[in-house]
Amino acid sequence: MKKSFAVLWAPYRVFLRLPDIPAMIASAWLARMPVGMNALAILLFEHEAMGNFKAAGSIVGIFFVAMAIAAPILGRLVDRIGPRSPLIVTGILHPLLLIALYIATTQGAHVTALLVIAAACGFLAPPVTILTRTTWRHRFSDDHNRKMAYSI
């Protein structure tokens, strides 16, 4: 038997009415937007600058591989020392490395140098996804609301 949309939506409607939840969801969504946008921007910029999708794709690929390697490390660091220091460090270094990637590309740096900069940039990406999940974990003590938050 099919459930109606209203029945399926009801638990979410209740959840979204909890204090501060819409603001937390909006801030998490906005904070994670640059992940996809950076990838697209880097790919299009590097392709335009070098005329080579293979090199541009490799640069974006290493960016994401470095992010994937750094995620558990940053997660453990956030758990041990809190979010403030990792956010300050990554919040400063990540944009500086994006600028360095831009400058290196416009100055005609070798692809290897661009790969190294992109890897550092990905490794030092601010851990917003980690912090979002950590925030949800600490915000809700009950499994139902925590699962609801994770599903959103």
Side-chain angles (χ1 to χ4, degrees):
M1 182 171 147
K2 286 187 174 181
K3 291 185 179 181
S4 72
F5 180 76
V7 171
L8 293 172
W9 174 249
Y12 290 97
R13 191 171 41 241
V14 171
F15 178 77
L16 290 170
R17 287 187 181 145
L18 293 174
D20 72 348
I21 296 304
M24 289 176 75
I25 290 170
S27 65
W29 180 72
L30 286 171
R32 288 186 295 202
M33 261 180 103
V35 174
M37 298 304 291
N38 277 345
L40 180 60
I42 292 169
L43 179 69
L44 295 175
F45 173 72
E46 294 295 340
H47 175 259
E48 182 68 26
M50 296 184 297
N52 182 343
F53 263 123
K54 182 179 176 183
S58 296
I59 291 166
V60 172
I62 197 80
F63 175 81
F64 277 120
V65 167
M67 279 181 68
I69 291 169
I73 297 166
L74 287 171
R76 179 154 299 194
L77 192 62
V78 166
D79 286 343
R80 288 190 182 198
I81 66 171
R84 185 178 186 92
S85 294
L87 272 178
I88 289 171
V89 170
T90 58
I92 292 169
L93 293 179
H94 181 72
L96 290 175
L97 286 163
L98 283 171
I99 292 167
L101 184 61
Y102 169 79
I103 291 169
T105 301
T106 58
Q107 297 301 311
H110 192 269
V111 174
T112 305
L114 300 177
L115 289 168
V116 169
I117 297 168
C121 190
F123 196 82
L124 291 168
V128 293
T129 303
I130 296 162
L131 293 175
T132 300
R133 291 186 65 81
T134 301
T135 301
W136 289 130
R137 185 181 61 202
H138 292 293
R139 170 67 172 81
F140 299 109
S141 57
D142 63 300
D143 281 342
H144 174 74
N145 281 332
R146 189 178 302 144
K147 286 178 183 179
M148 196 70 90
Y150 289 155
S151 73
I152 289 177

